[in-house]
Amino acid sequence: VQLQASGGGLVQAGGSLRLSCVASGSIFRVNGMGWYRQGFGKQRELVATITRAGNTNLADSVKGRFTISRDNAKNTVYLQMNTLEPEDTAVYYCNAEIQTRTWRMDNYWGQGTQVTVSS
């Protein structure tokens, strides 16, 4: 099982980016999914999570600007980021709780995608 994140890049303040993360491998079901970020010299922090049923939770710092969504048929989670600020600059990691076809339940991380917001 692996998570592959994409969509990061360099954008000016006020701009938008859309991150995607696809889970692949011997998957029976993908449960909760989410995005975390880690700025330079900072600890990793939660950005947003979404349950399989679509219930979402967003960090206060991104509410009103970011939206998390998912496509269960594609085992994919998205993070739409609008009105980006320099403070959003970080490596963004996707995370998922996955039940494999061997009935193991584990937590997986993607490789990270860099988001840089210039002022």
Side-chain angles (χ1 to χ4, degrees):
V1 175
Q2 63 177 359
L3 297 179
Q4 181 70 43
S6 62
L10 173 64
V11 64
Q12 288 187 330
S16 299
L17 284 173
R18 188 191 194 208
L19 305 183
S20 300
C21 178
V22 181
S24 62
S26 182
I27 296 171
F28 173 73
R29 181 170 59 198
V30 180
N31 295 318
M33 305 184 83
W35 291 94
Y36 293 72
R37 67 187 181 186
Q38 187 166 16
F40 183 76
K42 298 181 179 179
Q43 289 188 328
R44 190 173 297 188
E45 63 177 1
L46 181 147
V47 177
T49 61
I50 184 168
T51 68
R52 184 172 178 82
N55 298 310
T56 63
N57 177 52
L58 285 89
D60 288 342
S61 60
V62 305
K63 284 180 179 176
R65 301 187 298 121
F66 291 11
T67 302
I68 186 170
S69 61
R70 65 187 288 170
D71 185 332
N72 291 334
K74 296 181 179 179
N75 290 334
T76 301
V77 62
Y78 306 97
L79 186 68
Q80 177 67 43
M81 305 184 293
N82 298 326
T83 318
L84 282 159
E85 304 170 350
E87 293 74 22
D88 297 316
T89 296
V91 177
Y92 284 70
Y93 298 90
C94 59
N95 174 270
E97 182 183 69
I98 296 174
Q99 185 171 13
T100 68
R101 295 185 188 278
T102 58
W103 303 109
R104 285 180 59 92
M105 184 80 76
D106 282 312
N107 199 264
Y108 294 85
W109 290 91
Q111 84 285 7
T113 183
Q114 176 71 46
V115 172
T116 303
V117 185
S118 63
S119 57

